[in-house]
Amino acid sequence: MNEPKVLPTDYVTKPGEFKTSTGKTLRTDEMIINMGPQHPSTHGVLRLEVVLDGEIVVDVIPHIGYLHRCFEKHAEHMTNYQQVIPYADRMDYLASMNNDWAYALAVERLLNIVVPPRVEYIRVIMAELQRIASHLIAIGTYGIDMGAFTPFLWCFRDRERILDLFEMTCGARLLYNYIWVGGVSHDLPPGFVEKAKDFCTYFRPKIKELNDVLSFNEIFIKRTANVGVLPKDVAINYACSGPMLRGSGVNWDLRRDDPYGVYDKFEWEVQIGKGEMGTVGDCWDRYMVRVREMEQSVKIIEQALAGIPEGNVQSAIPKRIRPDRGEVYVRTESPRGELGFYVVSDGTASPYRIKARSPAFVNLSVLPEISRGCMLADLVAIVGSVDIVLGEVDR
Amino acid sequence: MTPQEIYDNLKAKFGDAILEAKLDALQPWIRIAPERAKDIALFLRDEQPFQFDYMMCLSGIDYNDGNLGVVYHLFSMVHKHKIVLRANTSKENPRVQSVSSVWGTANWHEREAFDMFGIIFDGHPDLRRILCPDDYPGYPLRKDFKVPEFYNGMKVPY
Amino acid sequence: MEELLRSILGDTTLVYVIAAALPLLFILPYALVTVWLEMKVSAHMQDRVAYMYTGPHGIAQPIADILKLLQKEDTVPGMADKLLYTLSPFFVFMGTYAAFAAIPFSSAYIGSNIDLGVFYIVAISSLVVIGILMAGWASNNKWSLFGAIRSVAQIVSYEIPTALALLVAVMITQSLNLQEVSRFQEGGIQNWVVFGGPLPLLKKLLLIPFTLTAFVILFIAGIAEVNRTPFDLPEAESELVQGYNTEYSGMKFAIFYLAEYANMFLVSAVAATLFLGGWNSPFGDFLSGPIWGFIWFVTKGMFFIFLQIWIRWTLPRLRVDQLMYMSWKVLTPFLFACIFAVGLILVL
């Protein structure tokens, strides 16, 4: 029989070591585990390298780029500014209308054209419907991350109604190519206004149902309150925007504070996180900001539907888009935050440089800061509350 | 503060690090020296009348005349004013001082500028490629970039 | 049961083999029914219909699922510990199946009429823990290991509330033999242990809050023992991609699946026997007898299965430290109080 190994007992205890009662030292190691790129809860192809000490997360290193599709390089080779719109759709594929609108706004500001009021109202309606659809996915998938499978299907059922409205208008369910530079591609079909009003009356009680089943569920609150707290100054320093910023208590919404479109004609409230269930800026606050934003969006849609003027939606679409030399940075409020386009034109018909500042890319960079010291299950909660879409992160 | 006041204040403080400005453009910009970017950024973030605490965007750009540039879009949540800063460097030796210690969001933006244009940011804690694979040859968004024929032994189809 | 078989076949090992295989005759059809039930209940809760093509309303779907699992390729990960990897599903199933020996399905049938029924069930179902740990370790996968470790901690911790809640019932019925316990509760719904048992009215009324609490806690601890939401962190789909099950496919996965459903029924059966009267009819003598007893027993068991499915698709899951907190700092103290109170009431 082998002699049992005699371990030396006169080591000085180094960090990561543990001295037992008999004087021997055991070395504890941190485990590096890989979440993704294929993983049910990283919402796409995101690779998280997690350094774990037992169940406690010591560090998180996100690796992105698995969905990089060279949007900016493609845009430079387009022969027409309108041709970039399908590419912009595909960046944040869950909120295409908002992507199109941000890009169209940027080019319109370069060209200095004013779109007809009917177009502005249509754009607002589409963007707000898209905001509801995107938030429904965010909420549903967040529920699934927490283990509640049912709200996910309820959210998708409601989202189908919105997608039906979009299909009625432009024929597509996910990637619309609808909002063009100078207008929209098709006018609203007959029956759209009534169907949209029906949707608004249908949807309001559904939000209440969602709150009963998920938002105020004791277990859900326990999983998300006080988890991943993002302090206000860190949020601003890391340029977080959208529900991430508002969840931390900052009263900032681009639709009200840096207005574009006709948002100033409507009455609605900016939702901020107040720390009702825990600290201000935890996952529950961000989640609840999204739920409450959906209600506000319904309000905006109803007001817009009531006040939409008549007109020709294609009257301002320029035949040839050839802006002067110049550059502009325009930002809009997409469901995930501040979506900005920096467009540089050199006087020709094709863009010189387009940089898309995507909210998910910037919001994701704050992940290592807020997830140190949490448990692995909390990491899933935090990633879910950032609400990333990898198409936007990687472009 | 108006862009003219910002420019005057910066010129008074930093003198020759502020190279030129175009204040009547659609969005007024100020060109700064790339090796003083961090000092100027710190000044703009911390001083009372400016307080540019929110960096909206940081983009790289290739000017197609031998110069690369970095464009900073800054915003102040406190005073609600914006400014655009530019820093140009040569294509042979593109070095800009990193502002990632001033605004945390610059970390990933600068990594992207490095990845796409090859601009080296001095003082960046972790400058490596972010979107392209770590061993990708070349800097894709430069105007003179040719797609490599073979990558790691695989023929590139397009 | 063995006497009957022995009288037919004589004293051979065949007797024991048949006696041991008899609960399987119940478990296999029950598993098919439960798979279908889970599919349909979850679908209707989520505002959709599940399979409608394989048979009317998808009745033949579980059979199709089983056939699919049987004909799948039996993969073994390259660096996996082959012996442990192959054995672990069987250990998990064994731990559950062996406990079925002591469950009284009806007044005429109990696999093995041992006087230590409750004790035996609690002890032998802990074998499941070894199986799960083997599965997690042998898969050579960090995620599976995580799931297995969490599962071990969870099952071992929740044994305590289970055992204590069973103790409350045993204190009232004065016997660990499950057949005795069922006979103790005959005479109608008012004699069930959950309503205090067949004791004088005053004692009953005093006992009811404690037996109800113990019953609810037994049910909760039972869900935790089976690894179902809200306690399904070991197989948390969104974090661990199926936990200790990740690397299994085909027949071995089918056995894990079967073991989970068998465990669900075991827990429901124990709760039904000890608290809800087992195979007794709630109307006393009306609709009672050996065959009716079996039907009542299965109905009560399926009611709990339905509850478990319902809860699974409603609630999110608890984090592992919250799970442990609940077991040690919430359920166990409540049960200690219950035991103390029940003991006091019974003695006085």
Side-chain angles (χ1 to χ4, degrees):
Chain A
M1 196 168 99
N2 296 336
E3 290 284 2
K5 252 190 355 195
V6 176
L7 294 169
T9 57
D10 53 356
Y11 281 163
V12 172
T13 321
K14 304 196 199 77
E17 286 181 340
F18 174 72
K19 228 176 172 71
T20 66
S21 55
T22 56
K24 304 201 166 83
T25 38
L26 296 174
R27 211 171 60 90
T28 64
D29 235 342
E30 291 163 345
M31 181 160 70
I32 299 186
I33 212 167
N34 224 354
M35 263 175 89
Q38 297 149 320
H39 191 95
S41 77
T42 56
H43 296 274
V45 276
L46 167 70
R47 176 171 158 229
L48 289 175
E49 207 178 311
V50 186
V51 180
L52 284 173
D53 180 14
E55 279 256 354
I56 310 278
V57 170
V58 171
D59 200 5
V60 173
I61 307 159
H63 294 267
I64 60 176
Y66 289 91
L67 200 49
H68 181 57
R69 292 157 296 169
C70 323
F71 162 69
E72 296 167 4
K73 189 82 179 171
H74 276 301
E76 290 172 15
H77 291 276
M78 293 289 115
T79 54
N80 186 352
Y81 276 80
Q82 298 275 30
Q83 285 184 333
V84 179
I85 302 244
Y87 284 92
D89 268 339
R90 280 148 177 80
M91 265 187 9
D92 177 2
Y93 37 79
L94 297 177
S96 310
M97 291 287 189
N98 293 288
N99 291 4
D100 293 348
W101 193 3
Y103 172 74
L105 259 186
V107 182
E108 282 161 14
R109 213 161 282 180
L110 263 185
L111 292 170
N112 206 10
I113 54 180
V114 176
V115 293
R118 184 172 171 87
V119 168
E120 295 281 19
Y121 273 79
I122 293 180
R123 283 179 175 182
V124 166
I125 295 174
M126 292 302 169
E128 292 307 310
L129 279 173
Q130 184 67 272
R131 190 180 311 268
I132 299 178
S134 173
H135 281 325
L136 280 173
I137 299 191
I139 293 170
T141 50
Y142 200 45
I144 278 215
D145 285 346
M146 296 294 107
F149 304 96
T150 315
F152 174 73
L153 283 141
W154 291 356
C155 290
F156 267 65
R157 171 199 61 189
D158 301 330
R159 184 171 166 263
E160 283 299 311
R161 296 262 192 137
I162 301 181
L163 261 44
D164 284 342
L165 281 171
F166 285 144
E167 193 181 353
M168 224 168 109
T169 316
C170 57
R173 276 164 52 95
L174 198 67
L175 303 164
Y176 312 109
N177 191 10
Y178 183 64
I179 299 185
W180 288 359
V181 175
V184 287
S185 68
H186 300 84
D187 200 350
L188 295 178
F192 181 89
V193 176
E194 288 76 33
K195 209 163 169 203
K197 282 198 184 118
D198 286 338
F199 169 74
C200 292
T201 36
Y202 158 82
F203 188 59
R204 275 220 166 86
K206 300 294 172 191
I207 303 183
K208 181 164 179 331
E209 223 177 58
L210 201 62
N211 277 340
D212 286 335
V213 134
L214 193 58
S215 320
F216 294 108
N217 183 321
E218 181 75 35
I219 300 181
F220 184 75
I221 294 177
K222 262 194 178 173
R223 283 297 297 274
T224 51
N226 290 322
V227 165
V229 177
L230 178 64
K232 212 167 166 167
D233 44 346
V234 174
I236 296 183
N237 195 317
Y238 274 82
C240 296
S241 47
M244 276 209 89
L245 187 61
R246 290 197 279 281
S248 296
V250 180
N251 196 341
W252 178 255
D253 188 326
L254 283 175
R255 294 173 285 174
R256 181 197 59 191
D257 297 320
D258 201 352
Y260 55 97
V262 287
Y263 275 110
D264 42 2
K265 291 208 174 69
F266 305 123
E267 268 199 35
W268 48 283
E269 287 147 26
V270 174
Q271 302 297 326
I272 51 178
K274 301 186 197 75
E276 288 165 43
M277 296 287 169
T279 351
V280 179
D282 57 19
C283 292
W284 195 85
D285 273 340
R286 295 193 274 272
Y287 162 84
M288 209 55 202
V289 163
R290 291 193 182 102
V291 174
R292 293 193 176 126
E293 265 184 15
M294 288 201 301
E295 290 176 69
Q296 299 301 316
S297 287
V298 172
K299 231 172 155 181
I300 298 178
I301 295 174
E302 283 176 340
Q303 292 171 47
L305 285 171
I308 187 167
E310 297 299 322
N312 182 2
V313 295
Q314 297 181 336
S315 57
I317 297 185
K319 293 271 181 311
R320 247 186 22 213
I321 302 186
R322 202 178 280 250
D324 301 326
R325 291 184 76 96
E327 56 187 50
V328 73
Y329 175 78
V330 159
R331 54 187 187 158
T332 59
E333 181 86 14
S334 96
R336 280 167 186 84
E338 173 188 322
L339 172 63
F341 275 90
Y342 171 55
V343 181
V344 178
S345 146
D346 58 350
T348 61
S350 91
Y352 184 75
R353 164 95 168 103
I354 297 185
K355 153 106 184 170
R357 180 255 197 235
S358 58
F361 179 77
V362 177
N363 288 350
L364 191 56
S365 63
V366 84
L367 185 69
E369 289 300 312
I370 58 178
S371 47
R372 291 213 171 92
C374 73
M375 302 181 70
L376 190 61
D378 293 336
L379 186 63
V380 174
I382 298 175
V383 170
S385 76
V386 175
D387 189 16
I388 49 175
V389 169
L390 265 298
E392 197 172 50
V393 171
D394 292 339
R395 278 157 281 136
Chain B
M1 294 185 80
T2 65
Q4 182 67 45
E5 291 172 12
I6 300 177
Y7 175 63
D8 292 334
N9 269 316
L10 278 178
K11 194 86 179 157
K13 168 93 182 189
F14 287 98
D16 54 353
I18 311 293
L19 300 171
E20 68 170 296
K22 187 161 191 292
L23 300 167
D24 57 349
L26 202 53
Q27 293 185 332
W29 51 266
I30 301 175
R31 193 147 73 86
I32 60 175
E35 43 303 326
R36 301 288 305 276
K38 175 155 158 244
D39 309 320
I40 300 178
L42 217 55
F43 177 75
L44 283 175
R45 186 191 73 175
D46 294 331
E47 287 300 308
Q48 263 313 99
F50 304 110
Q51 285 192 302
F52 284 104
D53 50 4
Y54 192 91
M55 187 176 87
M56 299 192 288
C57 186
L58 188 161
S59 339
I61 185 166
D62 182 346
Y63 287 112
N64 221 3
D65 56 357
N67 281 339
L68 296 174
V70 178
V71 184
Y72 305 80
H73 293 272
L74 306 175
F75 176 71
S76 165
M77 298 279 266
V78 180
H79 300 287
K80 313 265 192 290
H81 49 216
K82 304 184 193 167
I83 192 67
V84 180
L85 295 178
R86 286 197 190 189
N88 289 1
T89 65
S90 65
K91 217 180 241 191
E92 294 79 40
N93 189 16
R95 304 188 82 90
V96 178
Q97 205 183 28
S98 163
V99 297
S100 52
S101 52
V102 179
W103 295 290
T105 178
N107 193 323
W108 276 28
H109 277 114
E110 287 177 350
R111 276 178 65 185
E112 189 188 344
F114 166 67
D115 189 6
M116 295 286 127
F117 291 94
I119 303 175
I120 314 261
F121 288 90
D122 298 320
H124 191 279
D126 182 24
L127 195 65
R128 59 193 160 95
R129 286 187 184 261
I130 190 171
L131 293 176
C132 293
D134 286 327
D135 57 354
Y136 196 73
Y139 298 106
L141 275 178
R142 288 193 181 179
K143 293 289 179 185
D144 54 357
F145 173 74
K146 288 258 169 317
V147 180
E149 270 233 26
F150 283 91
Y151 171 64
N152 271 350
M154 303 177 283
K155 185 154 182 4
V156 177
Y158 300 110
Chain C
M1 195 70 235
E2 283 123 52
E3 297 84 37
L4 179 63
L5 283 175
R6 234 180 259 139
S7 63
I8 302 178
L9 297 167
D11 196 10
T12 62
T13 23
L14 194 58
V15 164
Y16 297 108
V17 169
I18 296 184
L22 267 178
L24 208 59
L25 217 60
F26 171 72
I27 290 182
L28 292 176
Y30 147 79
L32 291 179
V33 168
T34 313
V35 169
W36 181 85
L37 192 69
E38 169 138 32
M39 184 180 90
K40 277 293 176 179
V41 166
S42 71
H44 283 276
M45 278 176 62
Q46 293 163 358
D47 203 7
R48 58 183 175 98
V49 290
Y51 304 96
M52 302 288 268
Y53 294 114
T54 48
H57 288 274
I59 297 189
Q61 185 62 34
I63 305 179
D65 276 339
I66 300 288
L67 286 176
K68 172 199 81 169
L69 280 174
L70 285 179
Q71 52 93 39
K72 268 202 173 166
E73 179 187 353
D74 209 7
T75 58
V76 177
M79 298 283 290
D81 193 328
K82 295 209 174 24
L83 183 65
L84 291 181
Y85 185 82
T86 322
L87 276 185
S88 61
F90 299 101
F91 262 83
V92 174
F93 185 64
M94 239 164 60
T96 326
Y97 186 63
F100 271 87
I103 303 275
F105 281 83
S106 117
S107 51
Y109 175 75
I110 179 170
S112 157
N113 201 358
I114 52 180
D115 279 330
L116 281 177
V118 171
F119 186 65
Y120 165 74
I121 290 179
V122 172
I124 204 83
S125 57
S126 312
L127 212 54
V128 168
V129 172
I130 301 183
I132 293 182
L133 199 53
M134 276 165 62
W137 173 259
S139 300
N140 195 37
N141 181 346
K142 277 183 192 153
W143 293 107
S144 303
L145 191 61
F146 246 165
I149 293 177
R150 283 175 174 175
S151 172
V152 166
Q154 177 183 315
I155 294 185
V156 165
S157 310
Y158 275 88
E159 295 272 345
I160 298 186
T162 315
L164 288 178
L166 292 175
L167 200 58
V168 171
V170 161
M171 285 202 309
I172 298 180
T173 62
Q174 310 274 328
S175 166
L176 286 172
N177 185 339
L178 281 177
Q179 197 69 290
E180 288 297 319
V181 164
S182 302
R183 260 186 219 111
F184 183 79
Q185 298 174 64
E186 58 193 355
I189 192 171
Q190 72 280 4
N191 281 343
W192 290 357
V193 170
V194 77
F195 296 121
L199 297 174
L201 191 59
L202 180 63
K203 279 203 178 168
K204 239 167 117 83
L205 286 176
L206 286 175
L207 275 178
I208 284 188
F210 302 106
T211 51
L212 271 175
T213 318
F215 172 57
V216 168
I217 295 183
L218 176 65
F219 187 60
I220 296 176
I223 303 184
E225 289 281 312
V226 190
N227 286 344
R228 286 188 58 95
T229 327
F231 303 104
D232 72 343
L233 220 41
E235 0 173 293
E237 245 169 42
S238 25
E239 294 160 37
L240 306 178
V241 199
Q242 205 69 26
Y244 60 88
N245 270 338
T246 318
E247 300 285 342
Y248 283 87
S249 66
M251 191 62 213
K252 300 201 185 81
F253 182 71
I255 296 186
F256 267 123
Y257 215 45
L258 183 65
E260 172 165 335
Y261 282 118
N263 217 351
M264 270 168 73
F265 190 77
L266 178 70
V267 154
S268 313
V270 166
T273 309
L274 274 163
F275 280 94
L276 287 190
W279 40 257
N280 286 306
S281 142
F283 309 114
D285 277 330
F286 181 59
L287 291 183
S288 73
I291 313 270
W292 273 110
F294 180 69
I295 295 180
W296 282 117
F297 177 76
V298 171
T299 313
K300 289 172 195 171
M302 291 310 280
F303 169 68
F304 283 115
I305 300 280
F306 174 69
L307 263 187
Q308 288 182 9
I309 296 177
W310 187 1
I311 292 182
R312 173 183 189 187
W313 296 103
T314 313
L315 296 176
R317 71 172 68 92
L318 285 173
R319 204 175 56 201
V320 70
D321 61 325
Q322 291 164 347
L323 222 140
M324 292 298 149
Y325 180 90
M326 204 169 104
S327 162
W328 292 95
K329 294 198 193 171
V330 174
L331 298 182
T332 314
F334 263 91
L335 277 173
F336 275 136
C338 278
I339 291 181
F340 186 65
V342 167
L344 213 58
I345 296 174
L346 285 176
V347 156
L348 294 173

